[in-house]
Amino acid sequence: MGSVERPSIQHIHRDEVDKIVQAIVQDGGVIIKNFASVEAVERVNADTLPYLEKDKPWKGDLFPPETRRCCRLIGRSPTAREWLVDPVVSKLLDVFVDKTTHNFYGETKHTYTSKAILNTGLTMRIGPGGKAQRLHRDDKNFHVDHQDQTKTGYRIGSDVELSFLVPGVATTIENGATQVIPGSHLWGADRVPMVDEIGYAVMEKGDCLAFLGGLYHAGGHNSTTDQYRPVHDLSFIRGYLRQEENAYLAFSTEEVLSWPFDVQMRMGYTVSSPNLGFVDFIQPYKYLAGDFDPNQPGDLDSSQEPNKAAA
């Protein structure tokens, strides 16, 4: 029997920004060739390695136990901070995430633009034997109501999130290249993603996978016995997807800990289902109280658990 033909994702050089935009419109994601220099990737690898080495196996279903994580990437890697404002990143965020609207104060028209902000900056490293994640959409945290666009074509502005994955090593199918379903950003909410629809984001060091929050994807299966596949993740969302009053800077730790749990929840110190608002993958109210075991990182929400009845 011949090999199964997999859907492919386009590879486009960072200088061809218009083609990159069109590829994201068409497929939901694209591999940006030569996004960063090999030297820059190596610097971020070195910045994150100590934290990856200290991380503990996951106790849950969100990550395989062979995966290690480094949160707070922007604070821990000066080079990653440069990627945050890379001109290609800024251009793509302007097209797909930034939001401009107008309103009236009396008879005066005012125009506002909400600029994208960082959603997550972290490194994830899949170790030998790590199983693939389940296919998912990253914008599940923002409860996006996806409408079927397979017949109409993609409407720019219907996604609220755009992510950039920069691998720390050349990624292969064998060492866990990210699985993607090109075109799945067009699907309605009721269409089920199937494993036989996936393609693989095979990349060289210095490439980058850019994809919309509505694209089905998953961390791949690392079938090797000796390779570690780190990937540096910068995910951006619309700037208005946050509270108007910045309570996290307005109140001291002591004040927050003095409140009943229901008040802490209403003020945003709990994770919104399924994974929105964690600190180092810990519930914020537990992080502030020091009420957690750093050796037992695990799922933040029971909805992450697979359907046992279907197994």
Side-chain angles (χ1 to χ4, degrees):
M1 295 178 61
S3 60
V4 176
E5 183 176 348
R6 292 287 183 178
S8 60
I9 188 162
Q10 297 181 62
H11 294 64
I12 302 175
H13 193 275
R14 65 168 287 138
D15 291 343
E16 299 184 285
V17 178
D18 290 343
K19 290 184 179 179
I20 290 172
V21 169
Q22 288 307 308
I24 295 174
V25 168
Q26 175 182 314
D27 299 327
V30 65
I31 291 173
I32 304 173
K33 297 295 296 179
N34 299 105
F35 171 79
S37 69
V38 171
E39 293 75 20
V41 174
E42 291 288 3
R43 288 196 296 272
V44 182
N45 287 348
D47 291 338
T48 56
L49 182 60
Y51 301 98
L52 295 171
E53 292 295 314
K54 291 178 184 178
D55 196 32
K56 305 298 181 182
W58 193 259
K59 307 293 183 182
D61 195 66
L62 186 59
F63 298 104
E66 293 83 4
T67 293
R68 298 293 183 271
R69 295 146 297 274
C70 170
C71 297
R72 312 189 196 190
L73 179 60
I74 296 306
R76 290 167 170 169
S77 176
T79 301
R81 289 199 290 275
E82 296 174 7
W83 293 344
L84 200 66
V85 293
D86 182 283
V88 173
V89 171
S90 296
K91 172 62 176 178
L92 296 179
L93 293 177
D94 178 62
V95 172
F96 291 103
V97 184
D98 295 352
K99 180 75 170 181
T100 298
T101 56
H102 71 267
N103 212 320
F104 285 87
Y105 276 122
E107 297 180 5
T108 304
K109 183 178 180 179
H110 292 258
T111 300
Y112 317 98
T113 297
S114 179
K115 303 294 286 185
I117 58 174
L118 188 70
N119 181 42
T120 55
L122 57 95
T123 299
M124 298 167 285
R125 187 185 72 184
I126 302 177
K131 300 299 183 184
Q133 290 181 304
R134 289 174 290 162
L135 290 161
H136 61 280
R137 282 170 157 160
D138 278 351
D139 63 9
K140 62 187 183 299
N141 280 327
F142 305 103
H143 297 262
V144 175
D145 183 17
H146 283 280
Q147 302 298 312
D148 186 359
Q149 300 181 71
T150 55
K151 295 182 175 63
T152 62
Y154 183 67
R155 179 175 61 83
I156 290 179
S158 56
D159 277 81
V160 302
E161 182 174 9
L162 185 69
S163 296
F164 298 81
L165 300 184
V166 182
V169 298
T171 63
T172 65
I173 294 175
E174 291 73 26
N175 70 11
T178 302
Q179 301 174 354
V180 295
I181 303 181
S184 59
H185 65 307
L186 303 172
W187 297 356
D190 293 330
R191 181 165 173 179
V192 179
M194 306 300 292
V195 173
D196 60 8
E197 297 176 288
I198 64 171
Y200 294 92
V202 174
M203 292 185 278
E204 299 296 326
K205 190 184 295 185
D207 293 345
C208 171
L209 172 65
F211 64 98
L212 294 166
L215 185 77
Y216 275 106
H217 69 285
H221 169 42
N222 187 338
S223 61
T224 73
T225 58
D226 59 355
Q227 295 183 37
Y228 292 82
R229 192 227 65 173
V231 64
H232 310 297
D233 169 33
L234 296 177
S235 167
F236 298 85
I237 56 165
R238 288 192 174 154
Y240 61 76
L241 292 175
R242 54 179 162 177
Q243 292 157 313
E244 184 171 351
E245 181 184 25
N246 195 328
Y248 310 116
L249 295 182
F251 302 105
S252 69
T253 298
E254 291 72 25
E255 285 180 285
V256 176
L257 293 178
S258 73
W259 299 338
F261 173 76
D262 286 352
V263 175
Q264 293 174 341
M265 183 271 292
R266 287 296 181 201
M267 291 301 294
Y269 290 88
T270 58
V271 165
S272 171
S273 178
N275 299 313
L276 188 64
F278 62 79
V279 183
D280 294 347
F281 290 101
I282 299 163
Q283 286 272 6
Y285 71 95
K286 291 186 176 183
Y287 181 84
L288 288 178
D291 181 23
F292 61 92
D293 183 351
N295 295 313
Q296 296 284 322
D299 291 347
L300 300 170
D301 187 281
S302 60
S303 66
Q304 289 298 316
E305 297 180 4
N307 186 348
K308 301 296 194 301

